[in-house]
Amino acid sequence: MGQWLSTMLFGADHAIKPSCGQVSRNQRRREEKQKRREELHAQTKIIKKKQREEAKAARQTNFQQRLQSAIDAGDVAQRDAMITAVREARAEHVKAAQEKRDRARSNLKNAVLGVCIDCAWWEHMNEQEQKSLVKQIRFCYAAASKRAADEELGASACIWLSLASASPGWERQMDKTCDGWRSWALRIVSDEDIDHESVSASRTLVYLSADADDELDVLSPDELYVIGGIVDRNRLKNATIDKARRIPGCLVKRIPVADLTYRVLTVNHVFDLLVARAAGSSWEAACAEALPKRKEKRQ
């Protein structure tokens, strides 16, 4: 892949500008519903954090009481055994957590299946949409890392994630939203300096679009799957498929889940489906595993 890839796949020159029409009633309702969902999610996180802290405090109190009982009884052997057991359990927990992180990072670096999120439309989204996209990218990386940490899976069943056309504005938003993202096993592909380890002539580009005619069946290491990084509230219709059709040799496919879920899926939902499929699940099982209940079609 040469200069045409730099200018056509990862450049923002061909992005479609959003229309300046007024916000429709349905769009306003969707935004209000999304806002309520995010508020509920934030409240749930606070409640779960408080529950974890209370459970931890209860365990510590119970241990202190048992330890004090052993001290009061003058049982030095029991006291030392309790302290040693706690230290060993803590060391084992730290060791297991580090091994899990190392395994995930190694599998991500050596993964043979690749997915790229094209952020070429960043400047054509408003601030709220940009924040939403950054959150979805964070969810994507978390899903990839969680799957890569699975002891039963190797690098061949994992997906490495790359980002294209990452602008300075995108990096600033990532710094605000995702602490430590610069240490992720994430490949950044820019239109000025293409990472040939991420995008090479040996891979066939496959742009994913719900409007495509051909269906995606099995994921192949010979293909690079591109997801359009758009949170447009239905403004940039057909933007991804139109861009893909301008790229020589680029294929356009859709994930065959139209009968199982609604056509409009977020970036992280599409990525979650690919992660589940890469691990060996059927598309039906991937939908049940990766998508929330609200995305399921009512029969």
Side-chain angles (χ1 to χ4, degrees), residues 202-268:
S202 62
R203 290 182 181 269
T204 300
L205 292 178
V206 179
Y207 230 111
L208 300 179
S209 173
D211 300 312
D213 296 327
D214 297 331
E215 292 185 347
L216 175 64
D217 185 14
V218 180
L219 304 187
S220 170
D222 297 325
E223 297 177 333
L224 176 65
Y225 303 99
V226 185
I227 304 173
I230 302 177
V231 182
D232 62 353
R233 306 293 187 258
N234 292 328
R235 288 200 317 272
L236 303 176
K237 292 183 178 180
N238 298 323
T240 55
I241 192 171
D242 289 343
K243 180 175 182 178
R245 286 171 175 169
R246 291 194 296 267
I247 302 174
C250 179
L251 303 179
V252 184
K253 295 184 179 182
R254 59 182 172 86
I255 298 178
V257 294
D259 296 334
L260 304 173
T261 184
Y262 295 104
R263 287 167 60 87
V264 180
L265 296 175
T266 61
V267 171
N268 58 294

Side-chain angles (χ1 to χ4, degrees), residues 40-50 52 138:
L40 178 61
H41 178 68
Q43 294 174 0
T44 303
K45 285 182 62 177
I46 294 174
I47 293 174
K48 289 184 176 180
K49 181 179 179 180
K50 184 178 180 181
R52 290 194 300 269
R138 183 182 64 190

